[in-house]
Amino acid sequence: MKTIIAACSQNLSGSRASLQTALRTLLAAPWPSQRDIRAWLQLFSVLQWVLSFLLLGTISLLVLIYLVFTSLWPISALYLAWIIFDWDTPEKGGRRLPCLRRWAVWKHFRDYFPVKLVKTHDLSPSHNYIIGSHPHGILCVGAFCNFITGSTGFGEMFPGIQSFLATLAGNFRLPIFREYLMSGGLCPVTRRAIGYLLSKNGTGNAVAIVIGGAAESLSCHPGVTALILKNRKGFVRLALQHGAHLVPSFSFGENDLFRQVVFEEGSWMRSIQQRFQKMMGFAPCVFYGRGLTSIQSRGFLPYARPITTVVGEPVTVPKIENPSCEVVDMYHEMYIRSLLKLFNENKTKYGLSETDELHIL
């Protein structure tokens, strides 16, 4: 018995010593610095945003379909009834939640790149505006951060102006994802939705439209300063019909966030991308960024590259309910000249050289 007690005492003493050694090792280990914690928060904020936009809608749809075949099927039935009842809400201004736009996570999102908004001219709250956002890039990071979140100070720079961002209408047919988009101030890029904000929602509304769209994303890669704009005139016609002023904006650095495998015009892969884009509204880009664990690894997170969005001088547009093609062409040319002026005056300030030119395709 004494032998057993002695053995137990030795084991307890050994365990206590091991625990004390482990605690001393833990306390001696370097704790994360504030800089490390900020970097982790920034990485997490970008990760949740990318996953939300790439997977939230699809996963929500699959979950609701799965629940149909379980005892929880009433959840899917009730949500389907809600979507049917709420079908037209995205086309009528949506449901903005100011608290969502003020989330602290968006400040970490902004600081990851970082994203900066530059104002060159005032916007009067007595008018409505269509802001042309260029370039599209892969995920429109600059447009989202500046016009949807409050992290870059759009509301303070342009007091009395409420910003919206137009995106693919199909996104508003996906469960849960549609609620997330509407709460931030996104709307479908349709004539009805944009027309509602410009004519039935009072004044002081600014709808940002990424003019180049999915077609422009197919040519997105670092060093490219080409925009698909020459034959994109629908936004000008909308502006004329509602008397909304046209405002050019350019996000310097947007095309540097990802690396894309660009297929040559005429290749079979390029034709597949273009056909898919026409059918589905978005282009299946083959791109990569940094990985989650290190900058050297490849993954789906954007590289940390500075983005500076410069908002230019408004082009004053009269209200013409049925503008002729000649009038549309005239204001389209005025918009392009204003955009080129904005680009040329700011390109050397934000990472480009004096010889870089903006090509309008």
Side-chain angles (χ1 to χ4, degrees):
M1 179 63 73
K2 290 181 178 179
T3 302
I4 295 174
I5 294 173
C8 290
S9 298
Q10 289 177 357
N11 288 337
L12 289 172
S13 299
S15 300
R16 191 179 298 110
S18 299
L19 180 61
Q20 290 174 348
T21 301
L23 287 173
R24 282 196 295 269
T25 302
L26 180 63
L27 293 173
W31 288 85
S33 64
Q34 291 185 351
R35 182 179 179 181
D36 292 334
I37 294 174
R38 283 197 301 269
W40 294 342
L41 289 172
Q42 291 168 9
L43 193 63
F44 172 77
S45 68
V46 174
L47 175 64
Q48 65 82 27
W49 179 77
V50 171
L51 292 179
S52 296
F53 270 81
L54 295 182
L55 299 176
L56 179 59
T58 303
I59 291 177
S60 300
L61 179 61
L62 293 176
V63 169
L64 287 177
I65 293 174
Y66 169 76
L67 292 179
V68 169
F69 302 98
T70 70
S71 59
L72 298 176
W73 65 266
I75 295 177
S76 297
L78 287 172
Y79 191 78
L80 177 60
W82 164 251
I83 287 184
I84 294 173
F85 172 79
D86 196 53
W87 190 259
D88 288 335
T89 299
E91 305 276 351
K92 297 180 179 179
R95 281 187 299 273
R96 294 166 63 97
L97 293 178
C99 60
L100 182 65
R101 296 165 67 94
R102 294 194 299 266
W103 272 0
V105 70
W106 301 130
K107 294 182 179 179
H108 298 301
F109 180 88
R110 172 201 65 195
D111 294 339
Y112 171 84
F113 298 96
V115 181
K116 181 183 178 183
L117 180 65
V118 176
K119 167 186 172 181
T120 61
H121 292 79
D122 292 329
L123 299 182
S124 171
S126 61
H127 298 290
N128 286 324
Y129 303 89
I130 290 180
I131 300 177
S133 179
H134 310 275
H136 183 284
I138 296 293
L139 294 178
C140 305
V141 173
F144 176 84
C145 190
N146 288 299
F147 303 128
I148 292 302
T149 79
S151 61
T152 56
F154 182 92
E156 290 74 25
M157 289 186 189
F158 303 100
I161 303 297
Q162 188 172 220
S163 60
F164 298 83
L165 177 62
T167 186
L168 290 175
N171 289 329
F172 295 88
R173 304 305 176 224
L174 294 172
I176 308 301
F177 191 45
R178 68 190 295 273
E179 323 297 342
Y180 178 70
L181 294 177
M182 285 192 290
S183 64
L186 286 100
C187 69
V189 62
T190 62
R191 290 182 179 275
R192 184 184 176 193
I194 297 172
Y196 180 92
L197 293 172
L198 297 177
S199 63
K200 298 181 181 179
N201 200 43
T203 60
N205 300 295
V207 183
I209 304 175
V210 187
I211 309 297
E216 193 171 273
S217 67
L218 292 176
S219 302
C220 163
H221 58 88
V224 170
T225 51
L227 305 180
I228 295 180
L229 180 59
K230 187 175 294 184
N231 296 317
R232 298 292 175 96
K233 301 178 182 180
F235 72 103
V236 178
R237 185 174 295 276
L238 266 175
L240 286 163
Q241 289 172 342
H242 300 285
H245 298 342
L246 291 168
V247 183
S249 72
F250 195 93
S251 293
F252 294 91
E254 181 73 45
N255 285 346
D256 298 331
L257 304 183
F258 293 96
R259 301 292 183 268
Q260 182 180 182
V261 180
V262 179
F263 301 101
E264 294 182 2
E265 289 289 344
S267 65
W268 65 274
M269 279 298 296
R270 185 71 166 197
S271 63
I272 290 175
Q273 287 179 313
Q274 291 171 340
R275 289 178 184 177
F276 191 92
Q277 176 220 325
K278 290 179 180 179
M279 290 188 297
M280 303 300 293
F282 64 93
C285 302
V286 181
F287 67 90
Y288 65 89
R290 59 156 292 179
L292 183 61
T293 56
S294 70
I295 300 175
Q296 287 72 28
S297 61
R298 291 187 178 183
F300 54 87
L301 294 177
Y303 292 108
R305 302 286 187 270
I307 303 172
T308 304
T309 300
V310 185
V311 180
E313 181 179 3
V315 176
T316 303
V317 175
K319 184 175 181 180
I320 305 174
E321 291 187 6
N322 296 300
S324 64
C325 292
E326 291 76 14
V327 172
V328 172
D329 290 343
M330 181 181 70
Y331 281 95
H332 185 258
E333 286 297 324
M334 291 172 63
Y335 176 83
I336 290 178
R337 286 198 298 269
S338 182
L339 175 62
L340 289 171
K341 178 184 176 184
L342 172 71
F343 177 84
N344 290 324
E345 288 180 350
N346 292 276
K347 61 184 180 181
T348 57
K349 299 177 185 177
Y350 305 115
L352 299 180
S353 67
E354 189 64 45
T355 57
D356 283 320
E357 296 181 355
L358 185 61
H359 302 283
I360 307 297
L361 305 177

